[in-house]
């Protein structure tokens, strides 16, 4: 069994984890806004962070100065099933946070690779590094859309290339029918002040323990986060 790192923070339940992460994000964003004109927040889809986003949406921040950036996206249009952009609009970009400018990743094109140049230009217009990132992890060891042995994974895990990569994942119960993805890269996470990995349940903890053991990054791409020398990753776990 792997030894949990000092950055692993266990909570009694998911409500406590959500509240703690929402507070940490709010403080980090407030400090960023006190230091400069704009702040930025990278957000992921999935049911686990929804309570965090709903707490943040009613937090008294100057949301008009906070750029919300999607971490990854299925290659679907807004309004179609599976859209992470729609999920963020429903859960975070409401209430006080409705004023926040939102940057999605979907661009025109039949495949994710068709939209890379447009999406990269869209991201280049933002301030980097981001201040905060909320990431998740699947039982298969993927995070963002960095799926095990996916086509495009090498580009996604490069710290020297673009901030966005096209992914074609191997079909699985985790991907569902959406194997075509577009995702932020490891480079896009460089320098993030609060990079949070939010996971819930015993299966996710077991997957995390496995990922902490030596092994190929391609088998469990979350290892790229866990083993990154300069990435200040905080792991929020609850049963």
């Amino acid at each position: 069994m792997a030894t949990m790192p000092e950055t692993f923070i266990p909570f009694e339940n998911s409500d406590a984890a959500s509240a703690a992460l929402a507070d940490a994000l709010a403080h980090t964003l407030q400090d960023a806004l006190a230091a400069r004109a704009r702040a930025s927040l990278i957000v992921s889809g999935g049911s686990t962070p929804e309570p965090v986003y709903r707490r943040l949406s009613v937090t008294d921040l100057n949301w008009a100065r906070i750029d919300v950036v999607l971490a990854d996206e299925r290659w679907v249009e807004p309004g179609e099933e599976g859209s992470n952009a729609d999920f963020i609009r429903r859960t975070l970009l409401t209430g006080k946070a409705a004023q926040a400018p939102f940057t999605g990743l979907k661009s025109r094109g039949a495949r994710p690779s068709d939209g890379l140049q447009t999406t990269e230009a869209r991201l280049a217009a933002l301030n980097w590094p981001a201040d905060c990132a909320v990431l998740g992890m699947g039982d298969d060891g993927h995070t963002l859309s960095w799926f095990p042995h996916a086509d495009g994974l090498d580009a996604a895990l490069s710290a020297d290339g673009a901030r966005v990569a096209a992914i074609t994942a191997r079909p699985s119960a985790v991907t569902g029918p959406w194997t075509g993805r577009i995702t932020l890269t490891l480079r896009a996470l460089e320098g993030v002040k609060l990079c949070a990995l939010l996971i819930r349940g015993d299966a996710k903890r077991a997957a995390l323990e496995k990922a902490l053991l030596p092994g190929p990054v391609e088998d469990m791409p979350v290892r790229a986060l866990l083993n990154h020398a300069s990435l200040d990753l905080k792991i929020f776990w609850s049963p």
Side-chain angles (χ1 to χ4, degrees), residues 135-209:
L135 308 177
M137 183 192 70
D139 294 351
D140 60 351
H142 87 272
T143 187
L144 295 95
S145 280
W146 307 348
F147 286 94
H149 301 282
D151 289 342
L153 182 61
D154 287 347
L157 298 185
S158 172
D160 301 319
R163 292 191 179 93
V164 67
I167 292 287
T168 302
R170 297 182 177 184
S172 70
V174 179
T175 65
W178 301 289
T179 55
R181 309 281 182 120
I182 186 167
T183 183
L184 294 186
T185 64
L186 185 60
R187 180 196 172 198
L189 299 177
E190 293 276 354
V192 172
K193 294 178 180 63
L194 173 58
C195 190
L197 185 67
L198 178 65
I199 57 176
R200 183 175 66 206
D202 292 336
K204 295 287 180 71
R205 179 162 181 161
L208 175 66
E209 290 177 350

Side-chain angles (χ1 to χ4, degrees), residues 66-181:
I66 300 174
D67 293 302
V68 175
V69 185
L70 200 56
D72 67 311
E73 180 64 284
R74 302 172 178 93
W75 200 246
V76 298
E77 295 290 343
E80 294 181 348
E81 183 182 0
S83 169
N84 279 338
D86 286 352
F87 170 77
I88 296 301
R89 290 188 179 99
R90 289 194 308 268
T91 58
L92 175 61
L93 302 178
T94 63
K96 294 179 180 179
Q99 300 178 61
F102 177 59
T103 301
L105 302 183
K106 178 66 170 69
S107 298
R108 291 183 180 180
R111 301 166 298 178
S113 57
D114 296 333
L116 281 181
Q117 190 172 12
T118 300
T119 304
E120 180 71 22
R122 190 184 306 152
L123 294 173
L126 303 175
N127 292 320
W128 298 90
D131 294 291
C132 305
V134 180
L135 308 177
M137 183 192 70
D139 294 351
D140 60 351
H142 87 272
T143 187
L144 295 95
S145 280
W146 307 348
F147 286 94
H149 301 282
D151 289 342
L153 182 61
D154 287 347
L157 298 185
S158 172
D160 301 319
R163 292 191 179 93
V164 67
I167 292 287
T168 302
R170 297 182 177 184
S172 70
V174 179
T175 65
W178 301 289
T179 55
R181 309 281 182 120

